[in-house]
Amino acid sequence: MKRTNRRQFGQGLFATGVAAAALTAPSILRAQGFPSRAINYIIPFNPGGESDVTARFQQPFFEEISGQSVVIQSKPGAGGATAWAQLNGFDPDGHTIMNTIVPHTVLQPAMKDVGYQTSDINNVFFFHYTPDAIVVKADSPYQTLQDLIDDASSNPGRVTFGGSGTNTANHLASEIFSSMTGTSTTYIPFRGSAPAMTAVLGGQIAAAMSYTTQGVKAGEQVRTLAVATQERVAALPDAPTFQELGFDHVGGAYRGVAVPAGTPQDIQQRLSDILQQINANPAFKAQMTAAGYEVIDVPLGDIPAFIEERKAAYGPAIERLKSA
């Protein structure tokens, strides 16, 4: 057997290292120079909703870190599906990013053809979730969640939940609620969480299957019966968690940022790092907490496992919605 001497072996290692460095260098330089111009941040919903609000919370921090401006653009339609179906048509250079929401991007393609599949959405970071919350008008006869459950049990289908759109986080939460309480309620979709809350305040629906943020925003006009967090929300100290009330439900709308397919991996990582740096900023956290959001960190490397975990969690409720 031919033997390779130490000198030859060392030369081989050196050559391999030089080649690897040559391949890596352009990626490092590209990531260091990114972004090189304004970032277009697309929100698939109308201005004023949770996705828009949190993007505007991020905006000044993103600009400070990156040295470039961030332009927020609304592209509403079909509960976000219109924009998500167009995501991969944008240039994959990292300068166009898009807000995404789970469970929307899991539920929508599972229910019907919406022009994209869950696997088409190339998320780089999830930065918070907006916890589910059941909200009623302040003078509602439902003083507690149990009051609402008792009414729904005695009068199947009579209790109406308003929420943002069909095949969305609110729609899924309504189905989860019915399943875990053994009740039958009626879900009524609105064009957003704000219109649903308007309907609550106007007495058009019994309750909103909404978010903690809407309970915070409406203040004393409403009563929040339960929130889907592990601990009580600081901005809603009187609202019990579902777990306190004996229901194992923690979740809501998980919001993240995605880029078009084909975006270089180093640019994806740079974006993930920027968003994680924003999340770590105490001023950003304080804004989010005061408004009722729960900050989370799901960086690029953890995205595949996070999506699979969410898909598994939503599976039973999705099957029930399909058979309804």
Side-chain angles (χ1 to χ4, degrees):
M1 183 174 65
K2 185 177 181 180
R3 297 173 62 186
T4 301
N5 63 39
R6 291 182 181 179
R7 185 172 182 178
Q8 288 175 318
F9 182 69
Q11 288 174 336
L13 283 178
F14 177 76
T16 301
V18 169
L23 289 171
T24 305
S27 295
I28 294 173
L29 291 173
R30 181 172 55 200
Q32 288 177 342
F34 175 86
S36 59
R37 60 179 188 277
I39 294 287
N40 187 30
Y41 194 167
I42 299 173
I43 308 301
F45 303 95
N46 289 311
E50 282 81 5
S51 294
D52 179 65
V53 167
T54 51
R56 294 185 189 280
F57 283 170
Q58 291 173 312
Q59 186 179 29
F61 299 98
F62 200 120
E63 292 178 340
E64 182 180 0
I65 293 167
S66 69
Q68 298 290 342
S69 60
V70 175
V71 180
I72 296 174
Q73 175 190 3
S74 292
K75 222 178 200 357
T82 298
W84 293 322
Q86 297 172 2
L87 173 61
N88 291 332
F90 292 99
D91 288 339
D93 61 4
H95 289 90
T96 296
I97 63 177
M98 187 177 289
N99 164 261
T100 60
I101 304 181
V102 168
H104 293 48
T105 56
V106 173
L107 180 56
Q108 289 176 353
M111 296 298 292
K112 61 180 182 179
D113 182 7
V114 288
Y116 75 91
Q117 295 296 319
T118 302
S119 58
D120 294 333
I121 308 299
N122 192 45
N123 296 289
V124 297
F125 196 83
F126 280 91
F127 64 102
H128 85 274
Y129 81 95
T130 315
D132 295 329
I134 295 178
V135 183
V136 297
K137 196 176 177 182
D139 62 1
S140 167
Y142 305 138
Q143 296 294 316
T144 66
L145 183 65
Q146 192 60 51
D147 291 339
L148 188 152
I149 292 171
D150 290 344
D151 190 17
S153 298
S154 301
N155 303 282
R158 191 177 79 171
V159 173
T160 50
F161 276 132
S164 176
T166 302
N167 299 330
T168 60
N170 292 163
H171 192 186
L172 188 68
S174 179
E175 172 57 36
I176 290 172
F177 173 81
S178 292
S179 176
M180 69 184 180
T181 60
T183 58
S184 174
T185 59
T186 300
Y187 178 78
I188 301 175
F190 288 82
R191 293 180 65 85
S193 50
M197 287 298 297
T198 299
V200 167
L201 295 175
Q204 297 167 322
I205 53 178
M209 179 58 75
S210 190
Y211 303 121
T212 50
T213 50
Q214 292 298 322
V216 172
K217 190 183 298 184
E220 294 182 356
Q221 300 178 89
V222 299
R223 182 184 304 114
T224 303
L225 300 182
V227 297
T229 52
Q230 291 183 333
E231 297 179 356
R232 291 198 180 196
V233 175
L236 294 169
D238 295 329
T241 68
F242 280 100
Q243 288 185 333
E244 283 180 63
L245 301 175
F247 301 104
D248 187 17
H249 178 46
V250 174
Y254 295 83
R255 288 184 172 82
V257 173
V259 293
T263 300
Q265 190 72 14
D266 54 314
I267 299 298
Q268 293 187 47
Q269 187 62 58
R270 171 67 174 147
L271 283 166
S272 181
D273 292 345
I274 289 172
L275 293 163
Q276 190 158 21
Q277 194 173 340
I278 294 170
N279 260 21
N281 190 299
F284 176 75
K285 282 185 175 180
Q287 275 185 307
M288 295 286 281
T289 301
Y293 298 97
E294 292 285 308
V295 175
I296 60 170
D297 289 301
V298 185
L300 182 63
D302 295 343
I303 297 286
F306 174 76
I307 295 296
E308 289 307 309
E309 173 193 288
R310 291 291 87 207
K311 286 168 71 174
Y314 303 143
I318 289 174
E319 290 305 312
R320 289 193 297 271
L321 285 172
K322 282 182 176 180
S323 63

